[in-house]
Amino acid sequence: GSTLVLQSDSIVQNQYMTGSMTGSNRLWNVVINKPSNANGNTVFLNNDLDNAGDFTVGSSANYAGGVFSALNRVHRVGGNFSVYYAATPYATYSATGSTLEFNGAISQNYFNRGALNNVVMNHTGPGLTLGNSGATDWMLVTGNLTLNQGKIITSASNRVNVLNSAPTAVNQGAV
């Protein structure tokens, strides 16, 4: 599959993803490369996104600090999900009001220090493994965790934390 890179090198440059990006118009790999800047360097998702391959925010220290905003959108990922956090400044996946769905058919890995809103598991492969990068790779869910299919693989140092205390915050979905 192809790779879409949204990048800026030194100036504040917000970018917007708009259009039909689901179903047969899905994207494969998506890389967000933005340097740290308190005044911007955000990629805004204006429509739902099917991301068949890997999703990366900050591929190296040079591009740490950028932000991907999935505000009120559905983002489906079929590959690895990586948000750079090896050193400050950290890259950010802004998940306010959004739903992140893992729908891969192969092994998926998850690396992210930030919180997610709603998470849906529709994984048909061996599972989604929470990262083992030497840092805490907990999956923090502030909304709902829906377990339709597949498994989340944890370890002694990584876990899923659902911060929503409602009885329906973790559900089996449409099994």
Side-chain angles (χ1 to χ4, degrees):
S2 61
T3 299
L4 173 65
V5 179
L6 295 117
Q7 179 171 312
S8 57
D9 291 321
S10 61
I11 61 171
V12 174
Q13 187 177 37
N14 293 327
Q15 293 171 299
Y16 301 86
M17 295 180 69
T18 302
S20 179
M21 298 175 285
T22 60
S24 62
N25 295 318
R26 71 184 177 274
L27 301 177
W28 198 257
N29 299 307
V30 176
V31 177
I32 311 300
N33 277 337
K34 301 282 191 175
S36 175
N37 189 306
N39 298 316
N41 281 330
T42 300
V43 173
F44 294 94
L45 184 60
N46 287 338
N47 297 90
D48 294 347
L49 170 62
D50 287 355
N51 186 180
D54 295 341
F55 177 80
T56 304
V57 182
S59 62
S60 69
N62 292 338
Y63 296 112
V67 176
F68 181 83
S69 175
L71 180 67
N72 299 320
R73 299 292 175 204
V74 175
H75 182 192
R76 294 174 191 89
V77 177
N80 296 325
F81 182 90
S82 302
V83 180
Y84 184 87
Y85 59 84
T88 58
Y90 302 123
T92 304
Y93 183 90
S94 179
T96 304
S98 69
T99 298
L100 178 62
E101 178 179 326
F102 294 96
N103 64 357
I106 60 172
S107 295
Q108 288 181 267
N109 292 302
Y110 174 87
F111 299 97
N112 181 26
R113 289 179 73 112
L116 303 172
N117 186 45
N118 297 315
V119 173
V120 175
M121 284 296 296
N122 267 329
H123 190 271
T124 59
L128 171 70
T129 301
L130 300 188
N132 189 13
S133 62
T136 302
D137 290 305
W138 293 357
M139 179 183 283
L140 299 175
V141 180
T142 60
N144 296 318
L145 174 61
T146 302
L147 303 168
N148 288 334
Q149 185 173 359
K151 61 184 175 181
I152 300 172
I153 302 165
T154 61
S155 69
S157 60
N158 298 317
R159 64 183 184 211
V160 177
N161 262 4
V162 178
L163 304 178
N164 180 354
S165 62
T168 57
V170 178
N171 62 79
Q172 67 183 5
V175 187

